[in-house]
């Protein structure tokens, strides 16, 4: 066995380590030097053929080479990792001086805004919100409201009748035609005094320029021991002044008929349509905005309230209609077209919540 040229082996291996261009090349240099089939391991195996003296010195020298190569690998690895990090920092640099991209904010739909305003106004008068199911039974939508079977009001309301999956003819569910069933349910489950409003979706099979199959209503109900038509007038006057932001809006109560109220009235507000522009206030024209009346004694009875002891008033209005009046929206159907340009134009800034203290509209 010839003597091993340890120095030559050392410089060859160190050269391989220092010339490794990346971590993968460095790893193959490591395997080639220190691995099971690596050059140092092979040289160690060759020691057996040397004289005892040479074996000792060469063995020590090979161990020193092994340590030197391992150390060089660690150092090269640290260099390569630092270089990779530096390169990543350069290529992923953030320019913090760039202005932020403009953020596109959503808007509140005019229906939501109008509902919030209505809730704020009646809330300040002590009425709180109740909700109920959109799918109703015949009793809550009709019978309790003094609209018995065969009553013409059932046809007038263009009801959507629902079927169960077996086509059972006794299945009597409907899409609610008004939010009145919410008040029926409240009277059934709560004790007077009752002071509530019921805003929500309602459904009628009707579609033209002024009717859509789904629309929104808000109804109000106040039940107590000595409630009069005077309370109704005061409540609606306060509502109209606050909602239209006009002091003492002229109100006109015209006698009308609803099965669930007696007496019943339709309410007009004073307005001017001169020059094609609608103005609300003390002018010589009138505009219908809502219906109302004293709750019919039969309705109180159906809901478990003694009409000898309690009476109350109720009112109802279409939310789209009063939103169109206040915000100058000319066409009902545009409420449901989900046209983003329409929403940007007629929508409201979210989080600027309607309140009487801050002004209803931002
Ligand atoms: C109960 C008792 C009475 C609610 C009322 C009206 C008059 C009314 C219409 C306005 C326009 C519906 O959206 S619209 O088509 N509503 O005119 N609503 S009194 O009366 C009730 C409700 C519930 C238990």
């Amino acid at each position: 066995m010839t003597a091993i040229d340890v120095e030559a082996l050392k410089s060859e291996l160190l050269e391989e380590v220092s010339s490794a261009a990346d971590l993968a090349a460095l790893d193959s240099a490591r395997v080639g030097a220190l691995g099971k089939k690596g050059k140092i391991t092979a040289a160690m195996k060759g020691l057996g053929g040397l004289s005892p003296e040479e074996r000792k010195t060469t063995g020590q020298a090979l161990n020193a080479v092994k340590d030197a190569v391992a150390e060089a690998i660690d150092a090269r690895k640290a260099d390569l990792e630092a270089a990779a990090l530096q390169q990543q920092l350069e290529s992923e640099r953030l320019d913090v001086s760039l202005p932020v991209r403009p953020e596109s904010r959503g808007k509140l739909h005019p229906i939501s805004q109008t509902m919030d305003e209505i809730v704020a106004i009646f809330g300040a008068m002590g009425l709180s919100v109740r909700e109920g199911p959109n799918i109703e039974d015949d009793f809550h939508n009709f019978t309790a409201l003094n609209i018995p079977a065969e009553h013409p009001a059932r046809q007038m309301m263009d009801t959507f009748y629902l079927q169960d999956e077996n086509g059972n003819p006794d299945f009597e569910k409907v899409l609610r035609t008004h939010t009145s069933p919410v008040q029926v349910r409240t009277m059934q489950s709560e004790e007077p005094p009752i002071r509530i409003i019921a805003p929500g979706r309602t459904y009628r099979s009707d579609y033209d320029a002024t009717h859509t199959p789904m629309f929104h209503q808000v109804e109000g109900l106040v039940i107590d021991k000595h409630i009069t038509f005077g309370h109704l007038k005061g409540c609606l006057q306060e509502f109209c002044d606050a909602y239209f932001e006009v002091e003492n809006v002229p109100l006109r109560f015209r006698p009308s008929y609803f099965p669930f109220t007696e007496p019943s009235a339709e309410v007009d507000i004073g307005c001017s349509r001169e020059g094609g522009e609608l103005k609300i206030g003390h002018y010589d024209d009138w505009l219908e905005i809502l219906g109302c009346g004293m709750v019919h004694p039969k309705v109180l009875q159906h809901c478990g309230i003694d009409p000898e002891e309690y009476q109350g008033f109720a009112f109802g209005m279409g939310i789209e209609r009063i939103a169109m009046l206040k915000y100058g929206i000319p066409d009902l159907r545009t409420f449901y077209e989900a046209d983003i340009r329409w929403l940007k134009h007629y929508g409201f800034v979210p989080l600027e919540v309607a309140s009487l203290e801050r002004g209803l509209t931002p």
Side-chain angles (χ1 to χ4, degrees), residues 154-200:
R154 291 203 182 196
Q155 272 73 57
M156 273 161 48
M157 287 197 182
D158 303 307
T159 311
F160 284 112
Y161 290 91
L162 303 181
Q163 283 188 328
D164 76 350
E165 55 262 47
N166 308 318
N168 177 0
D170 298 329
F171 189 79
E172 285 185 330
K173 293 282 168 75
V174 300
L175 288 180
R176 68 183 185 191
T177 57
H178 41 196
T179 60
S180 315
V182 177
Q183 287 100 288
V184 172
R185 289 177 183 279
T186 307
M187 286 197 279
Q188 286 177 320
S189 61
E190 297 178 26
E191 292 292 318
I194 290 171
R195 302 183 190 94
I196 57 161
I197 55 170

Side-chain angles (χ1 to χ4, degrees), residues 107-119 216 319 335 348 354:
K107 291 280 191 82
L108 266 194
H109 195 281
I111 294 289
S112 306
Q113 169 73 21
T114 305
M115 274 205 201
D116 290 350
E117 293 177 22
I118 294 169
V119 169
H216 298 77
I319 294 181
F335 276 90
F348 292 84

